[in-house]
């Protein structure tokens, strides 16, 4: 955001620098890509003024005016409320951003900020008959934000005479607006007309029904806003938290485009020292105010002296997802190795292939690592992918990836029916083997039995070797792929399907410097790593290739 806009919002130079120092680890903001989008200082200022008209309700700041911290203004309120566009159907400006993901460790004022946003959506969003909900996995959790909002409404001179504060609702008689706590799908019956919602602590939601009811209940509103605010989970794959967290990261990395979704994630990274004040400051934008340094020191000391508490400290105070697997390939590193790959010029070159097949009806991949003739480059990757055509809409919804677009652009082949056509894959592999000097085809024996037999009978001089999906089997190829990427000696052509797989892939480590990719549960997860798994298996063949003997030179 331009410095001039921040100054116009009333921030001082020092406060702008403070906010810059509190930059989130992940920022997903594509609002400017909306047609005709523009930043309105007036709209952002109106939201800031509305929130700051309330008072703190708890602790040492109780009854004092609520003053937003610079990081809250710069990274949350200003972008969410300030980005507008002129909706041609409505003929006037509305918000670009419709869903917000805020992920930050506890004690950074999430409840207070959430309550202020909720009341702003109820009272200062120019929405007649506003319906705002504080939603959570349990009623006590939902009531935490709602009760804070009630106390704010009761102690605000500007609001007190405009609302009726009841036990289960805050009503605005003049506009028909209402703010309620919500925790069960039975309470909604999918009859909501949501203008705003605060979904608190997303990581505790075991089912997605409540979130689905809220999101589908926004359809009749001109500029609905659903704010998800949470700390990290314990690494559970396929949860609503996992879906939203992953989507936000993909948006930040440019894997998907969605101007209507905005997300910020403050967190420590894998290699950060969890007991360092620098790490605490990186993960906690409010450090020194809330949480206090004294609180963080106590929590860190507890984690040091009680090993069983260490994962809890990392998750709640540093916002780290504590699990055995970790993200593997940084997208900037991946993109640096894109380059140009023209497989039509690769006739008769030595190559090593890897094939990763789906069981019945999901993504399948065939990747070849081909000897390169580019200076300073060892290998170039040719990646091919297949999906059953009748499954593409379902999988596109599940994975949130533009699969049909990739199919139209030639990066993905659709096969007839609702099950993968192994014949089509077999024909492509045989064709590639006849065009290239394929040395070896590596495969996961789980689903490749019959296809391997047919390919073996139709290709001569090609070794077909099963690769165990273990540290021993996948480790060498994984390390070689990472080495070539880090040394800039591989080119993958920027295939978007392979890039998606690379953005998803995580690895397990065994403590002895061995790694292997993690295969997600396809029924629960939106992640797919088939292309990377195939590339790793191709690399295994490359690593184990016979070393060419140097020619003897006669004296």
């Amino acid at each position: 955001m331009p410095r001039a806009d921040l100054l116009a919002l009333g921030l001082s130079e020092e406060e702008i620098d403070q906010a810059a120092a509190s930059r989130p680890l992940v920022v997903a903001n594509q609002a400017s890509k909306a047609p005709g989008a523009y930043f309105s200082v007036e709209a952002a200022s109106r939201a800031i003024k509305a929130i700051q008209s309330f008072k703190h309700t708890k602790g040492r700041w109780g009854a004092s005016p609520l003053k937003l911290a610079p990081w809250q203004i710069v990274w949350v309120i200003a972008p969410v409320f300030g980005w507008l566009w002129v909706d041609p159907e409505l003929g006037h400006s509305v918000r670009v951003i419709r869903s917000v993901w805020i992920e930050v460790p506890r004690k950074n004022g999430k409840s207070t900020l959430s309550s202020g946003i909720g009341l702003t959506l109820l009272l200062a969003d120019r929405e007649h008959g506003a319906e705002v909900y504080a939603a959570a996995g349990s009623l006590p959790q939902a009531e935490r934000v709602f009760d804070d909002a009630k106390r704010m409404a009761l102690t605000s001179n500007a609001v007190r005479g405009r609302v009726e504060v009841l036990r289960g609702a805050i009503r605005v008689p003049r506009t028909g607006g209402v703010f309620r706590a919500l925790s069960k799908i039975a309470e909604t019956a999918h009859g909501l007309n949501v203008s705003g919602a605060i979904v608190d602590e997303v990581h505790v939601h075991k089912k997605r029904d409540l979130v689905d009811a809220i999101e589908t209940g926004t359809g009749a509103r001109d500029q609905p806003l659903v704010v998800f605010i949470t700390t990290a989970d314990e690494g559970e794959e396929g949860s609503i938290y996992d879906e939203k967290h992953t989507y936000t990261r993909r948006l930040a990395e440019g894997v998907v485009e969605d101007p209507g979704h905005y997300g910020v994630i403050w967190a420590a990274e894998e290699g950060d020292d969890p007991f360092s004040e620098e790490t605490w400051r990186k993960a906690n934008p409010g450090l020194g105010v809330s949480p206090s340094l004294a609180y963080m020191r106590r929590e860190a000391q507890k984690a040091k002296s009680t090993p069983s508490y260490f994962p809890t400290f990392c998750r709640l105070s540093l916002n780290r997802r504590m699990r055995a697997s970790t993200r593997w390939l940084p997208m900037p590193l991946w993109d640096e190795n894109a380059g140009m790959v023209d497989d039509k010029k690769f006739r008769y070159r030595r190559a090593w292939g890897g094939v990763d097949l789906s069981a019945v009806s999901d993504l399948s991949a065939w990747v070849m690592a081909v000897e390169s003739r580019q200076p300073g480059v060892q290998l170039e990757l040719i990646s091919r992918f297949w999906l059953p055509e009748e499954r593409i809409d379902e999988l596109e919804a599940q994975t949130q990836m533009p699969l049909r677009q990739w199919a139209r652009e030639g990066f993905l082949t659709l096969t007839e029916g609702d099950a993968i056509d192994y014949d089509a894959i077999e024909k492509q592999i045989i064709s590639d083997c006849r065009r290239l000097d394929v040395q070896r085809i590596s495969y996961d024996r789980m689903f490749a039995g019959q296809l391997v037999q047919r390919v073996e009978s139709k290709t001569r001089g090609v070794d077909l070797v099963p690769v165990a999906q273990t540290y021993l089997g996948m480790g060498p190829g994984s390390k070689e792929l990472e080495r070539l990427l880090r040394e800039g000696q591989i080119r993958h052509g920027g295939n978007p399907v392979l890039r998606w797989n690379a953005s998803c892939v995580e690895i397990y480590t065994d403590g002895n410097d061995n790694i292997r990719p993690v295969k997600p549960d396809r029924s629960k997860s939106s992640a797919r790593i088939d292309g990377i798994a195939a590339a790793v298996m191709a690399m295994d063949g490359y690593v184990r290739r016979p070393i060419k003997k140097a020619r003897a030179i006669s004296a």
Side-chain angles (χ1 to χ4, degrees):
M1 191 178 299
R3 204 173 185 89
D5 287 341
L6 298 178
L7 290 169
L9 291 173
L11 291 170
S12 67
E13 295 280 0
E14 183 181 0
E15 288 174 326
I16 295 172
D17 290 338
Q18 288 175 7
S22 301
R23 181 181 176 85
L25 178 67
V26 174
V27 181
N29 184 9
Q30 297 181 355
S32 62
K33 294 184 178 182
Y38 64 98
F39 183 79
S40 169
V41 171
E42 179 186 359
S45 296
R46 187 167 59 248
I48 294 167
K49 182 178 179 181
I51 294 173
Q52 294 189 149
S53 71
F54 301 110
K55 296 179 179 180
H56 286 282
T57 62
K58 297 178 183 177
R60 52 178 161 160
W61 299 290
S64 63
L66 196 167
K67 178 172 172 54
L68 291 168
W71 69 267
Q72 292 173 320
I73 293 174
V74 172
W75 299 113
V76 180
I77 303 303
V80 170
F81 287 90
W83 279 104
L84 307 179
W85 74 296
V86 178
D87 188 326
E89 294 184 5
L90 300 173
H92 60 80
S93 295
V94 293
R95 265 192 305 272
V96 174
I97 294 166
R98 305 301 173 90
S99 65
V100 181
W101 181 260
I102 305 170
E103 194 173 332
V104 66
R106 69 176 178 178
K107 302 299 182 183
N108 278 271
K110 294 196 301 294
S111 295
T112 300
L113 181 62
S114 299
S115 301
I117 293 174
L119 286 173
T120 297
L121 294 174
L122 175 69
L123 296 160
D125 207 34
R126 300 178 177 178
E127 185 76 26
H128 199 78
E131 284 187 24
V132 182
Y133 296 94
S138 66
L139 186 57
Q141 185 70 41
E143 287 179 339
R144 185 177 302 175
V145 172
F146 177 69
D147 288 346
D148 212 22
K150 284 201 299 184
R151 287 189 289 270
M152 283 184 178
L154 287 169
T155 57
S156 170
N157 294 330
V159 170
R160 193 164 40 206
R162 296 170 54 194
V163 300
E164 294 177 352
V165 180
L166 308 175
R167 179 181 178 184
I170 304 172
R171 296 187 180 277
V172 188
R174 186 175 63 84
T175 64
V178 63
F179 188 172
R180 289 194 178 98
L182 196 66
S183 66
K184 297 177 182 177
I185 190 63
E187 297 177 61
T188 69
H190 288 274
L192 304 179
N193 187 2
V194 180
S195 60
I198 310 295
V199 184
D200 194 24
E201 299 297 8
V202 183
H203 68 277
V204 304
H205 287 251
K206 301 303 180 186
K207 298 181 180 179
R208 60 176 305 120
D209 297 1
L210 183 62
V211 172
D212 285 345
I214 289 170
E215 291 185 320
T216 57
T218 63
R221 298 290 184 169
D222 293 341
Q223 54 171 15
L225 186 66
V226 179
V227 179
F228 299 90
I229 189 160
T230 187
T231 51
D233 75 344
E234 295 177 342
E236 182 183 353
E237 198 170 78
S239 65
I240 187 69
Y241 167 93
D242 184 56
E243 175 188 313
K244 300 293 184 183
H245 172 93
T246 302
Y247 187 74
T248 298
R249 280 186 170 273
R250 288 177 181 166
L251 196 73
E253 293 166 349
V255 178
V256 294
E257 288 191 11
D258 183 358
H261 182 81
Y262 176 84
V264 281
I265 299 173
W266 283 271
E269 294 181 273
E270 180 74 18
D272 294 337
D273 178 1
F275 302 115
S276 161
E277 187 175 317
E278 182 181 354
T279 300
W280 301 349
R281 198 167 298 282
K282 176 180 179 179
N284 293 270
L287 184 67
V289 179
S290 181
S292 67
L293 276 169
Y295 168 83
M296 288 296 295
R297 287 170 184 147
R298 287 195 302 271
E299 290 294 289
Q301 184 57 44
K302 183 178 177 181
K304 277 185 178 180
S305 59
T306 311
S308 61
Y309 187 68
F310 178 74
T312 302
F313 169 71
C314 288
R315 186 171 66 83
L316 296 181
S317 295
L318 302 180
N319 202 46
R320 277 184 55 194
R321 298 184 77 183
M322 294 304 292
R323 52 182 171 178
S325 61
T326 57
R327 284 282 296 272
W328 184 24
L329 302 173
M331 284 297 95
L333 175 65
W334 183 261
D335 292 339
E336 286 172 8
N337 287 272
M340 288 292 295
V341 175
D342 186 358
D343 67 332
K344 294 178 182 178
K345 298 180 179 180
F346 288 173
R347 200 164 181 81
Y348 304 131
R349 292 193 197 177
R350 284 206 308 171
W352 296 263
V355 60
D356 191 80
L357 302 177
S358 65
V360 178
S361 55
D362 216 301
L363 190 69
S364 292
W366 160 239
V367 176
M368 289 179 291
V370 184
E371 281 188 326
S372 178
R373 293 176 184 170
Q374 296 185 42
V377 178
Q378 289 188 33
L379 294 175
E380 297 176 60
L381 299 184
I382 302 173
S383 307
R384 309 196 194 283
F385 298 90
W386 292 264
L387 267 181
E389 186 166 18
E390 291 184 13
R391 285 267 291 156
I392 191 168
D393 291 333
E394 178 185 344
L395 290 171
E396 192 167 66
Q398 181 187 350
T399 62
Q400 301 175 331
M401 291 291 109
L403 302 178
R404 281 201 178 276
Q405 177 183 329
W406 290 341
R408 287 194 298 269
E409 293 171 349
F411 297 110
L412 179 63
T413 299
L414 302 182
T415 62
E416 292 185 6
D418 62 354
I420 197 68
D421 184 354
Y422 292 121
D423 289 342
I425 300 174
E426 174 194 331
K427 288 177 182 177
Q428 183 63 61
I429 292 175
I430 293 169
S431 173
D432 287 332
C433 287
R434 289 172 177 168
R435 189 167 56 91
L436 293 164
D437 183 11
V438 176
Q439 303 289 298
R440 182 179 122 167
I441 297 174
S442 305
Y443 62 92
D444 176 1
R445 67 170 76 244
M446 180 68 73
F447 305 121
Q450 293 184 357
L451 182 140
V452 166
Q453 292 176 16
R454 292 195 297 267
V455 170
E456 194 168 28
S457 68
K458 295 180 181 179
T459 57
R460 293 183 179 181
V462 179
D463 291 332
L464 284 94
V465 180
V467 175
Q469 306 298 292
T470 61
Y471 291 113
L472 183 61
M474 298 294 280
S478 297
K479 288 183 178 180
E480 183 68 1
L481 176 59
E482 182 174 349
R483 182 188 72 81
L484 293 174
L485 286 167
R486 294 195 180 280
E487 295 180 1
Q489 295 184 18
I490 192 169
R491 296 292 179 265
H492 51 72
N495 183 301
V497 188
L498 188 63
R499 186 181 191 273
W500 164 42
N501 292 174
S503 74
C504 294
V505 71
E506 297 181 347
I507 53 171
Y508 281 131
T509 60
D510 66 355
N512 294 312
D513 200 30
N514 295 312
I515 62 176
R516 67 177 176 86
V518 181
K519 287 205 170 187
D521 183 342
R522 294 174 188 247
S523 65
K524 297 180 180 179
S525 176
S526 62
R528 297 293 185 274
I529 68 165
D530 305 77
I532 297 299
V536 165
M537 287 188 281
M539 289 294 160
D540 186 75
Y542 176 70
V543 168
R544 301 175 193 278
R545 71 195 184 282
I547 301 299
K548 292 182 178 179
K549 295 181 179 180
R551 288 187 301 170
I553 300 176
S554 57

